[in-house]
Amino acid sequence: MHQKLSNMLLSWMITFGWLIYGSITVEPALGANKNPNCDRKLFHGTMYDSREAVVCGTRLHVGAGLSCCGDQPFNPATATCCKTEHEANVTQDLSEKVSTCCGLTAFNALNEICCDSTVAVKNATTAECCGKAAYDKDKQLCCRPDSDPVILEKTSPHHRCCRHKLYDFTTQCCHWKNDTHVEVKPKPPKGCDGNSGATAVKTTHGTCGQKTYNTHTEMCCGSLVIPKMSAKERCCGEGAYNYATECCCWPDHGPPERKPKTSPCCAVTSVVPHLTPEPPPSCSEPNTHVCGSSCYNPNERRCCERKETKPHWCCASGQCDAAPTVYNPHTHVCCDGCISELKPGMDQCCGDTPYGSAQRGLLCCHNVLYKDREDGEECSDAGIPYNPAKGTMCYSQFHASPGQHCCGAEVYRPLEEICCGGHRYPKRENLQCCGVKAYNITDPNMKCCKGTLYDLTHLGNHGHDAKCCGSVLQNPQKQEVCCSSKDEAVLYPKKTGFGCCGHLYFNSFLWSCCAGVLRPGHKQQSGMNECRLLSVNNLKDTELCREIYIGTVESVSLNSILFRNVLKLDGRNGTVQPVPFHHILMTPNRCTTTKLIVGKFYFFHDVNVFADFNHDTVIQSLHFFFSKCSL
Ligand SMILES: *[C@@H]1O[C@H](CO)[C@@H](O)[C@H](O)[C@H]1NC(C)=O
Ligand SMILES: *[C@@H]1O[C@H](CO)[C@@H](O)[C@H](O)[C@H]1NC(C)=O
Ligand SMILES: *[C@@H]1O[C@H](CO)[C@@H](O)[C@H](O)[C@H]1NC(C)=O
Ligand SMILES: *[C@@H]1O[C@H](CO)[C@@H](O)[C@H](O)[C@H]1NC(C)=O
Ligand SMILES: *[C@@H]1O[C@H](CO)[C@@H](O)[C@H](O)[C@H]1NC(C)=O
């Protein structure tokens, strides 16, 4: 029967293993009380886990980590979704972690620039737009940027545009004959004529966000270009105000407003310099308002900028409600901003309700007071009262058999099953979790990349060379580069002249990299300094399962790394030996060494340091190492 399943159905069943085996449940997220219903979704009568599939438009798409771009599925780890008001478009091979949108096309702002909705290759780190093209301000000139832009090579700092010609304003004059013709002539001793010279053609454009604007006639406020009405104007939010007659007022909520100088708020704000160094944020998320220099949602918290507090017997909620209220503690009790009459025995607050801990039948779970509860009831992790002697509570689901273990919202039998991210699987030898799936850790055809499981069978012989790049599987047949830092790992299509600097992929013509930091400017010496943080997950068994160290970074100096709590591991015979004192790893080329986090643990050997992106704790890492190597 199993032999007859089509490949598609088989992969469906593998993906939805829990559908066959158990019900949909979710991993108790570390620390947090995550509601298992968050990831559980229903699509036309089929349950799916939103970590393993997505519904875009009217279709269900199976795959880990997918999101929707309009009605298209895409993986933000390898692609970017750019949206306009009416359209959405996916750009493949560029992760959202490192991309910017230019209209409907995504680009890498490190090496490219968006000019007039067109992606242009940067010629310099400080490149600016000239029409749809990029130019290097230091070496080139953009002539007639507003009407008919042309980029010309600057031959000296004295060169200026004369329509689409260049002239040296110290020795030459630019004559405008008519709308289409100009002439460059030697400068006579008395200087250039009125209709010629630099003033008519001086570059008067600046950049405002991704737009260019005329600095003489327009202003850039917020990221908006607005017409300049007078020389006495300054920005106020995304508008302008006349500083001779008005001031820019910052209300408690919302964006700043222009007000006549006579208005009361001008007296207050005049203490604050008008040229506020930090513009107020534009709170673009729906339902958000400005609070000082940040945005907030009034439904979630309050803006406490102007809160006045009184020292005694004030009843104010932790959220800093309107005005705190004064009360008498002999007759009343204050619970989370609410004043209630004091009754005998009241000694506790449950949210905003007072109660007495000696009262029978009361149970306070997650700030909600439950009445008429039986003796012996407790709060479950999800904050629901239940009696442990009568059953097991898995999240908010009650199972009428006491003393069970939970896997998501279900009970499970650890002797017969393994629980991966809230999904149960029958126990087998060498079975380990990878995200919400279970796999045979000795199976060379399976690879776990940061919680996403990949079947390498379709790669054939190349499967053994497949590596992880964060949660993405790098296809060894494709020309791809994985750039990784302590925070991210990003896959890029390979390009000549480009290198990794942490998780960024830079054009070495524009940038140089040292110890994970990019600096403008081409490195002159031969060779390009690249640096990336290697992953222990990408070591072949033969490299991994030999003598290797694990330790905590204590300090990093110019040319060495100091490790403490070092253990020497040997995967061949499964031995662990503590290394007395410190271990110093020399790093002769500081520039090729990535940033390590002091206090975090890493694997290392004589030359390289490896991070374990798959596991968060040392015990998980060690368990992986010995499981993998002892086989
Ligand atoms: C969608 O993105 C691709 C890749 O970046 C680009 O080539 C294409 O022009 C975009 N489509 C539209 C309609 O802009
Ligand atoms: C700028 O890029 C263009 C191609 O886009 C190239 O022809 C030109 O040589 C570059 N200029 C500099 C200064 O590198
Ligand atoms: C501008 O001047 C040039 C040369 O003097 C002439 O050939 C051309 O016709 C003129 N164009 C216009 C629009 O007057
Ligand atoms: C795990 O994989 C190894 C190697 O492919 C295989 O020999 C073994 O039978 C598998 N174990 C189980 C329980 O499937
Ligand atoms: C483990 O094996 C390696 C090589 O086979 C050997 O050098 C090392 O001494 C062994 N360690 C112990 C504690 O036996």
Side-chain angles (χ1 to χ4, degrees), residues 6 14 20 30 37 95 115 169 264 280 364 391 410 443 499 508 517 531-532 597 616:
S6 75
I14 289 165
I20 306 155
L30 284 174
N37 297 324
S95 166
C115 293
F169 74 89
C364 178
E410 300 291 313
D443 188 340
S508 64
V517 178
C531 71
R532 54 190 127 191
I597 305 172
D616 297 327

Side-chain angles (χ1 to χ4, degrees), residues 16 47 211 219 239 252 372 406 411 437 505 539 573:
F16 289 90
M47 277 287 185
K211 292 185 235 56
M219 298 171 69
D252 285 350
D372 306 323
C406 294
V411 290
K437 294 190 186 157
Y505 199 43
L539 283 177
N573 43 19

Side-chain angles (χ1 to χ4, degrees), residues 80 82 87-92 102-107 119:
T80 300
C82 291
E87 279 177 285
N89 185 34
V90 177
T91 301
Q92 292 297 344
C102 180
L104 285 171
T105 307
F107 71 104
V119 177

